Amino acid sequence: MAEKLTGEERARELQPLLEAGWRLVEGRDAIAKNYSFANFVEAFGWMTRVALWAEKLNHHPEWSNVYRTVEVTLSTHDAGGLTMLDVRLARKMDELAGL
Amino acid sequence: MAEKLTGEERARELQPLLEAGWRLVEGRDAIAKNYSFANFVEAFGWMTRVALWAEKLNHHPEWSNVYRTVEVTLSTHDAGGLTMLDVRLARKMDELAGL
């Protein structure tokens, strides 16, 4: 089972994500990001690629989609907060969005 | 362009949806429903089928997904409220969920 990030890991792993547009969620140990695409096909196409990876990692995002935008929140429920699974999925999401 | 449902249409078209688990959203002219599936693959598989129909109808849902649940809100932005596009997409969503 994934374990919560240590203080050292947080500094090392989260900082690059925060610089890439991720933000810490208030009131819970989670990160969030808003993605914007050219249109619905691009937005849902990206979600589909992410979904296949999420299933493969057995780690799933909380996300909402309105037309060409997708808002994502990541946290590891079993661990009660951020783990390396969230870091990996966040990086993969950015990679799949071409960021 | 789709026009807002008339009083008569609302009575005729919305009632069956409300009986099928849709609800009126407070504070805006929209309907919403929570779907629950066996797992993420089933939930996202359904979203994918809905997405293809949404693009075909050129009418898109607001929706959020957390693992095996999907919460949907439908309204027609251009019309400022519920239209037959929402009724059609709502029916299609239920049909694709096997309801």
Side-chain angles (χ1 to χ4, degrees):
Chain A
M1 191 180 114
E3 295 193 1
K4 281 184 77 165
L5 296 177
T6 64
E8 194 185 327
E9 285 169 336
R10 297 180 76 88
R12 190 180 61 228
E13 307 291 352
L14 293 184
Q15 194 53 41
L17 293 174
L18 299 178
E19 285 167 13
W22 289 85
R23 63 183 182 275
L24 293 171
V25 175
E26 216 166 328
R28 59 185 285 212
D29 192 27
I31 52 174
K33 186 172 185 175
N34 296 353
Y35 291 87
S36 188
F37 300 88
N39 51 45
F40 178 75
V41 170
E42 294 296 319
F44 199 81
W46 175 80
M47 289 178 76
T48 304
R49 296 194 296 281
V50 170
L52 295 171
W53 273 97
E55 188 61 18
K56 185 163 161 163
L57 294 171
N58 194 27
H59 188 56
H60 305 84
E62 303 169 28
W63 49 1
S64 59
N65 159 241
V66 179
Y67 196 53
R68 65 188 191 88
T69 65
V70 184
E71 186 172 343
V72 178
T73 300
L74 299 180
S75 188
T76 306
H77 290 223
D78 291 347
L82 288 165
T83 69
M84 278 306 294
L85 284 172
D86 301 302
V87 172
R88 290 175 65 190
L89 188 54
R91 284 189 197 140
K92 182 55 74 176
M93 285 178 156
D94 282 348
E95 181 192 321
L96 291 173
L99 301 176
Chain B
M1 189 180 114
E3 296 193 359
K4 280 183 77 164
L5 296 177
T6 63
E8 193 184 329
E9 285 169 334
R10 297 179 76 86
R12 189 179 61 228
E13 307 291 352
L14 292 185
Q15 194 53 42
L17 292 175
L18 299 179
E19 285 167 14
W22 290 85
R23 63 183 183 273
L24 294 170
V25 175
E26 215 166 330
R28 61 185 284 211
D29 192 26
I31 52 174
K33 186 171 184 175
N34 296 354
Y35 291 89
S36 188
F37 300 88
N39 51 46
F40 178 75
V41 170
E42 294 296 319
F44 199 81
W46 174 79
M47 290 178 75
T48 304
R49 296 195 296 280
V50 170
L52 295 171
W53 273 98
E55 187 61 20
K56 186 163 162 164
L57 294 171
N58 194 27
H59 187 57
H60 305 84
E62 303 168 29
W63 48 3
S64 60
N65 159 242
V66 179
Y67 196 53
R68 65 188 190 88
T69 64
V70 184
E71 186 171 343
V72 178
T73 301
L74 299 180
S75 188
T76 306
H77 291 223
D78 291 349
L82 288 166
T83 69
M84 277 307 294
L85 283 172
D86 301 301
V87 172
R88 289 176 65 190
L89 188 54
R91 284 187 197 141
K92 181 54 75 177
M93 285 177 156
D94 282 346
E95 181 192 322
L96 292 173
L99 301 177

